[in-house]
């Protein structure tokens, strides 16, 4: 676990009234399965929200609805005051505003590391090639893989690939970054190198939603922990409160199994 201590800000919390992502009474079904039930969730600018809960509770689906990889049946989602676009160029722009990092790194295998980080910039943001390359190299340096720029993803370790995936998402200047179990597919010795990059991002003020089982990260980086079970948000609290004094039996039971 990372030992780096994190300073959120002087008050230990984010400024109030600056809502970036708002889910209002969101419901979603997969057939008969009510996978998201009456989800109300507000993420403020600069806030780091860690989502935890048992497997199958709807954490990935929640993330995927926020950048519209999944549609919702009812309720609303707004990003920076605007409802999620349905399709076309607006949707592509939304996906650029909402960076997503998956468990499986999802890099383009037939493109170099550098090309992976340039592609969205030139295609979606219409950045010219020289500027895109300069930015890509700076971001690759920032996540500690600057010397790997000309390699192909398969030539990198899992931890390096995941850091490239983070750099690729950051290249779009996202308003919010979603991480869905970003370290779950990694060998143990590579977990910290990815968590350290995420810690740094949090310190730099990035708005982040992080689904993870890394409770050390949740304790040190999160402003808030959201606990889900059976498609519902059961409990939301500051990390200390949540880990030391969970209110619900479901959370107590979950924590007793993982801590
Ligand atoms: P978590 O990420 O918390 O493990 P998921 O959001 O992946 O949970 O899944 C929640 C539930 O929805 C699970 O029961 C899962 O099997 C189901 N599910 C997820 N995606 C689909 C899908 N595309 N079609 C049908 N069921 C799905
Ligand atoms: Mg999941």
């Amino acid at each position: 676990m990372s030992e780096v201590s994190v300073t959120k800000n002087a008050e230990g919390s984010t400024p109030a009234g600056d809502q970036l992502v708002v889910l209002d009474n969101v419901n979603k079904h997969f057939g008969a399965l009510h996978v998201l039930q009456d989800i109300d969730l507000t993420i403020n600018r600069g806030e780091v929200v860690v989502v935890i809960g048992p497997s199958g509770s709807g954490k990935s689906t929640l993330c995927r609805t926020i950048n519209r990889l999944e549609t919702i049946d009812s309720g609303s989602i707004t990003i920076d005051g605007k409802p999620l676009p349905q399709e076309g160029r607006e949707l592509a722009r939304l996906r650029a505003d909402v960076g997503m990092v998956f468990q499986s790194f999802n890099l383009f295998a037939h493109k170099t590391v550098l090309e992976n980080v340039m592609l969205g910039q030139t295609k979606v943001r219409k950045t010219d090639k020289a500027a895109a390359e300069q930015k890509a190299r700076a971001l690759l340096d920032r996540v500690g893989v600057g010397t790997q720029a000309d390699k192909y993803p398969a030539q990198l370790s899992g931890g390096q690939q995941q850091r490239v995936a983070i750099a690729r998402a950051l290249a779009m200047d996202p308003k919010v970054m979603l991480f869905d179990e970003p370290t779950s597919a990694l060998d143990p010795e590579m977990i910290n190198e990815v968590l350290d990059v995420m810690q740094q991002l949090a310190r730099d003020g990035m708005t982040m939603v992080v689904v993870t089982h890394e409770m050390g990260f949740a304790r040190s980086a999160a402003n808030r922990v959201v606990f889900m079970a059976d498609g519902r948000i059961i409990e939301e609290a500051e990390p200390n409160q949540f880990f030391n004094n969970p209110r619900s039996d479901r959370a107590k039971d979950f924590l007793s199994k993982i801590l």
Side-chain angles (χ1 to χ4, degrees):
M1 204 43 53
S2 178
E3 294 302 322
V4 187
S5 77
V6 174
T7 322
K8 281 144 196 164
N9 66 23
E11 295 82 39
S13 65
T14 50
D18 197 4
Q19 303 178 337
L20 184 58
V21 180
V22 180
L23 284 80
D24 182 20
N25 201 22
V26 167
N27 283 275
K28 177 169 183 66
H29 297 77
F30 286 121
L33 180 67
H34 198 170
V35 60
L36 294 177
Q37 303 188 35
D38 305 330
I39 300 286
D40 290 321
L41 180 65
T42 297
I43 296 150
N44 294 312
R45 218 176 291 275
E47 195 177 23
V48 178
V49 173
V50 166
V51 181
I52 66 173
S55 178
S57 54
K59 307 180 299 295
S60 292
T61 306
L62 177 74
C63 281
R64 293 166 61 81
T65 61
I66 296 175
N67 68 354
R68 214 179 166 283
L69 288 172
E70 299 283 358
T71 56
I72 59 177
D73 300 335
S74 65
S76 71
I77 301 178
T78 56
I79 308 244
D80 216 0
K82 292 193 215 106
L84 289 197
Q86 296 302 301
E87 57 194 6
R89 203 171 299 165
E90 288 297 311
L91 183 56
R93 219 167 287 148
L94 167 96
R95 296 249 168 84
D97 281 346
V98 181
M100 181 132 183
V101 175
F102 302 87
Q103 180 175 330
S104 54
F105 325 120
N106 293 11
L107 296 173
F108 301 112
H110 58 288
K111 301 229 179 272
T112 66
V113 163
L114 183 68
E115 288 165 347
N116 265 277
V117 183
M118 288 174 62
L119 198 65
Q121 297 184 69
T122 51
K123 293 263 187 255
V124 179
R125 295 294 194 206
K126 310 292 182 199
T127 310
D128 76 63
K129 245 181 154 182
E133 175 170 347
Q134 193 177 20
K135 185 169 188 178
R137 289 194 186 277
L139 283 167
L140 289 168
D141 280 340
R142 181 169 161 198
V143 301
V145 291
T147 57
Q148 312 296 315
D150 299 319
K151 293 189 180 167
Y152 285 86
Q155 296 173 284
L156 272 56
S157 73
Q160 290 173 322
Q161 288 185 56
Q162 194 59 302
R163 286 181 283 150
V164 173
I166 293 171
R168 183 177 61 174
L170 290 175
M172 308 301 278
D173 296 320
K175 291 177 177 168
V176 53
M177 287 278 287
L178 310 177
F179 294 86
D180 189 3
E181 300 201 27
T183 61
S184 295
L186 296 177
D187 291 335
E189 73 273 19
M190 294 171 189
I191 291 175
N192 279 341
E193 63 192 50
V194 172
L195 291 179
D196 286 348
V197 167
M198 293 167 59
Q199 291 270 14
Q200 188 60 52
L201 260 187
R203 273 196 295 272
D204 291 345
M206 176 61 73
T207 308
M208 294 164 62
V209 178
V210 184
V211 179
T212 186
H213 301 296
E214 295 292 334
M215 296 302 138
F217 176 86
R219 277 181 183 276
S220 62
N223 299 99
R224 187 150 48 106
V225 173
V226 168
F227 175 70
M228 286 186 75
D230 298 332
R232 291 182 182 279
I233 293 177
I234 305 289
E235 192 163 339
E236 273 186 73
E238 289 191 359
N240 274 338
Q241 151 80 32
F242 180 78
F243 290 113
N244 300 337
N245 282 306
R247 292 185 304 268
S248 63
D249 289 340
R250 290 299 300 267
K252 284 178 196 160
D253 180 55
F254 178 76
L255 289 172
S256 75
K257 286 175 182 147
I258 60 156
L259 291 181

